[in-house]
Amino acid sequence: MAETALQDRVRVLRQRLEADPGDEMAWYGLGSALLALESAPEAADALRRAVELRPDYSAAYRELGRALLAAGDEEGARDAFHRGLEASESSGDLQTGQEIRVFLRRLTRSADAASQEATANPSATREKQATARPEARTWYKKAFRHFVDDRLDEAIAGYRRAVEIDPELAIAWNGLAMALAQRGDLDGALQAGRRLVELEPDDPLGHTSLSMFYQRKGMIAEAEEERAIAMHLQLRRQQGG
């Protein structure tokens, strides 16, 4: 929908809500339109109103999660998605439930990557977080939100900008590798994955990713080698070594 049409829709819905502030569908429509206009905080406010009025409104929870992600509130987004999943199961809205599960899987995948990075070397992670240029991390966060929202081109561009600013921002290299792989650019994913391994050679995550990329390329020997390295590192970590 063109921006002018979206703005007209927002105006009409606001007028409608002035007359009937208890119309949950109008709040949902307003939130969706504001999200399309990239007014994420306002969209989240409207969508919160929709689910307050109708606690089983699974589609509104889904859009609320998307709005919170766009606003940078990953924890709030996760909570909204879980609530939406519960609502979809209660109401039998299977399609919305499937869509919400996709968002949750992407959030979980990204959170696991960040957690594994921090666990592998906590002191190094804290030091990198303290010294990484704020602008690079801002670009990483933007790219992550695009990735979760399945906007791969925007995600890839954001990750590339992040590593251009801070070439040692490992988490951005990981994001870039995963986004390129999802788009089907396995050569690019391998290049980004190798850079991740250079930065974090003792982190099993990077080696696991490389193994998957090699597997998809049909490079079985390389895939098995990286898998073995990842398993060795994981075992060493479990043993406290």
Side-chain angles (χ1 to χ4, degrees):
M1 188 180 295
E3 183 173 344
T4 301
L6 284 168
Q7 291 171 342
D8 289 342
R9 178 169 173 74
V10 167
R11 184 167 52 254
V12 168
L13 287 167
R14 288 193 191 281
Q15 292 172 351
R16 180 173 164 182
L17 286 164
E18 286 179 6
D20 182 9
D23 187 341
E24 73 275 9
M25 293 186 67
W27 284 112
Y28 170 79
L30 177 61
S32 298
L34 288 168
L35 183 56
L37 287 168
E38 299 185 354
S39 296
E42 286 185 280
D45 288 341
L47 291 159
R48 284 192 188 97
R49 186 67 179 129
V51 297
E52 286 171 3
L53 290 165
R54 181 178 157 190
D56 66 344
Y57 204 162
S58 52
Y61 278 115
R62 179 198 61 208
E63 295 305 286
L64 175 58
R66 293 181 61 230
L68 290 169
L69 273 179
D73 184 359
E74 294 177 14
E75 288 304 314
R78 184 176 287 104
D79 180 68
F81 287 138
H82 279 297
R83 290 176 182 270
L85 189 58
E86 291 175 2
S88 69
E89 291 173 349
S90 298
S91 64
D93 185 359
L94 301 181
Q95 178 60 39
T96 299
Q98 287 180 333
E99 293 168 358
I100 290 172
R101 285 188 179 90
V102 170
F103 286 114
L104 282 171
R105 281 197 297 270
R106 291 173 184 163
L107 268 173
T108 300
R109 186 166 59 236
S110 179
D112 286 347
S115 176
Q116 289 182 30
E117 178 186 2
T119 302
N121 196 339
S123 60
T125 298
R126 286 194 296 270
E127 182 179 352
K128 287 185 178 182
Q129 288 175 339
T131 58
R133 298 181 187 178
E135 185 182 359
R137 299 197 70 84
T138 297
W139 276 103
Y140 163 75
K141 290 177 181 178
K142 290 179 180 178
F144 171 77
R145 291 196 292 271
H146 286 312
F147 180 72
V148 168
D149 210 22
D150 208 23
R151 295 196 293 268
L152 294 180
D153 289 341
E154 292 91 337
I156 290 166
Y159 286 133
R160 288 195 188 282
R161 181 59 179 145
V163 298
E164 179 183 337
I165 296 168
D166 185 357
E168 295 189 358
L169 189 58
I171 195 170
W173 284 107
N174 179 64
L176 178 59
M178 299 306 293
L180 288 168
Q182 187 160 324
R183 194 175 67 174
D185 182 0
L186 293 177
D187 290 331
L190 281 168
Q191 184 177 6
R194 292 186 190 111
R195 177 57 178 152
L196 173 62
V197 166
E198 288 176 4
L199 292 168
E200 303 286 353
D202 294 328
D203 186 351
L205 174 66
H207 295 283
T208 298
S209 297
L210 279 179
S211 178
M212 290 190 301
F213 303 153
Y214 280 128
Q215 185 77 28
R216 289 176 59 183
K217 285 275 289 182
M219 302 170 68
I220 305 304
E222 292 85 349
E224 289 299 321
E225 180 180 356
E226 292 296 334
R227 181 173 177 271
I229 294 171
M231 292 178 64
H232 171 73
L233 291 171
Q234 187 65 42
L235 179 62
R236 190 172 71 182
R237 178 185 296 177
Q238 292 172 351
Q239 294 173 343

